[in-house]
């Protein structure tokens, strides 16, 4: 009888462990917060991306002017060129890159960037809560690399570089967007990698629905 009790206890413990593993493996498709109505559609997200690009471009332009103008003012007026030296250009690139990453980290840990707020989008983690810093950093890298490469591809076209080079640089971003077309919840590849679903928000909804494409 004592052995039967031990076996029953062991079975119950294994059942509990199985339930915990199943709960830990829930996909973020079923982990939508209560104030979220739908998983955001691709067209809505693309509109927010365009708006976000304009905001970030304005941020980069303002920071560039603040940094570059004083440096150029300190240069020798008799110098033949008023351009930044290579070291200065590299330092400016690093500062702008860090500033852009800080912008997304700050707002993503609060659920919404300025463009996402305008388009009523929100980021959550797999449990439906706001992102912590580590998950936001993972999303910044997962989304920033393909989007950054695509921007370099656009610059390559403007600089009269080969079209195939621009296509290769834009390929990772196209794959991320194509993933959203095939994904059941219309999430991009970097959403899946980081575990950060992008949801469409309404104030009164309490159920999870799907937005029409």
């Amino acid at each position: 009888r004592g052995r039967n009790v031990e076996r029953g206890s062991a079975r119950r413990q294994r059942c509990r462990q199985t339930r915990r593993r199943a709960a830990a493996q829930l996909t973020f498709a079923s982990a939508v917060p209560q104030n979220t109505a739908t998983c955001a559609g691709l067209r809505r997200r693309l509109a927010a991306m365009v708006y976000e690009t304009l905001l970030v471009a304005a941020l980069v332009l303002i920071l560039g002017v603040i940094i570059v103008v004083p440096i150029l003012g300190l240069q020798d007026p008799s110098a033949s060129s008023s351009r930044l030296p290579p070291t200065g250009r590299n330092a400016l690139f690093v500062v702008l890159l860090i500033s852009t990453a800080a912008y997304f980290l700050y707002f993503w840990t609060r659920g919404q960037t300025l463009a996402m707020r305008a388009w009523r989008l929100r980021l959550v983690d797999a449990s439906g809560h706001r992102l912590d810093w580590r998950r936001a950093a993972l999303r910044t890298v997962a989304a920033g690399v393909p989007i950054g490469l695509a921007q370099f591809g656009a610059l390559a076209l403007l600089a009269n570089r080969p079209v195939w080079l621009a296509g290769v640089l834009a390929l990772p971003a196209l794959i991320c967007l194509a993933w959203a077309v095939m994904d059941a919840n219309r999430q991009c590849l970097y959403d899946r990698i980081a575990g950060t679903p992008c949801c469409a928000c309404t104030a009164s909804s309490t159920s999870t629905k799907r937005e029409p494409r």
Side-chain angles (χ1 to χ4, degrees):
R1 186 178 297 178
R3 291 179 180 176
N4 291 335
V5 171
E6 291 178 0
R7 289 173 184 171
S9 177
R11 288 196 197 98
R12 286 193 294 271
Q13 187 173 2
R14 284 195 296 269
C15 289
R16 292 193 198 101
Q17 291 174 351
T18 302
R19 292 194 203 101
R20 288 171 187 165
R21 292 194 196 99
Q25 292 172 357
L26 285 174
T27 61
F28 59 71
S30 61
V32 180
Q34 294 300 311
N35 66 338
T36 304
T38 61
C39 293
L42 183 58
R43 285 179 295 182
R44 188 170 182 176
R45 296 187 63 181
L46 286 174
M49 287 180 187
V50 172
Y51 190 12
E52 199 80 74
T53 300
L54 297 176
L55 292 176
V56 173
L59 172 66
V60 168
L61 180 62
I62 293 172
L63 286 176
V65 170
I66 292 174
I67 295 172
V68 171
V69 170
I71 294 176
L72 293 179
L74 295 175
Q75 286 186 348
D76 187 359
S78 62
S80 58
S81 176
S82 60
R83 297 178 60 184
L84 286 175
T87 304
R89 290 198 295 271
N90 294 336
L92 177 63
F93 174 78
V94 171
V95 170
L96 295 179
L97 183 64
I98 293 175
S99 300
T100 303
Y103 167 86
F104 286 106
L105 280 172
Y106 176 81
F107 284 106
W108 279 346
T109 53
R110 282 153 180 78
Q112 295 171 301
T113 61
L114 300 178
M116 293 176 71
R117 186 176 302 172
W119 285 91
R120 300 190 64 79
L121 300 174
R122 178 173 292 276
L123 287 177
V124 293
D125 62 11
S127 60
H129 299 106
R130 287 185 179 181
L131 308 187
D132 57 21
W133 286 100
R134 287 188 293 182
R135 193 166 294 276
L138 177 58
R139 181 184 170 86
T140 299
V141 174
V145 170
I147 293 175
L149 288 176
Q151 291 174 345
F152 278 119
L155 293 176
L157 282 179
L158 294 176
N160 294 322
R161 301 296 183 183
V163 176
W164 65 264
L165 177 60
V168 170
L169 292 174
L171 185 60
L174 293 176
I175 292 174
C176 288
L177 294 178
W179 186 283
V181 176
M182 300 179 292
D183 190 89
N185 295 290
R186 285 152 302 181
Q187 302 301 306
C188 293
L189 180 58
Y190 50 78
D191 295 315
R192 290 290 183 182
I193 293 174
T196 55
C198 183
C199 303
C201 301
T202 62
S204 59
S205 176
T206 58
S207 62
T208 302
K209 303 176 183 177
R210 289 188 180 178
E211 191 176 315
R213 290 184 184 274

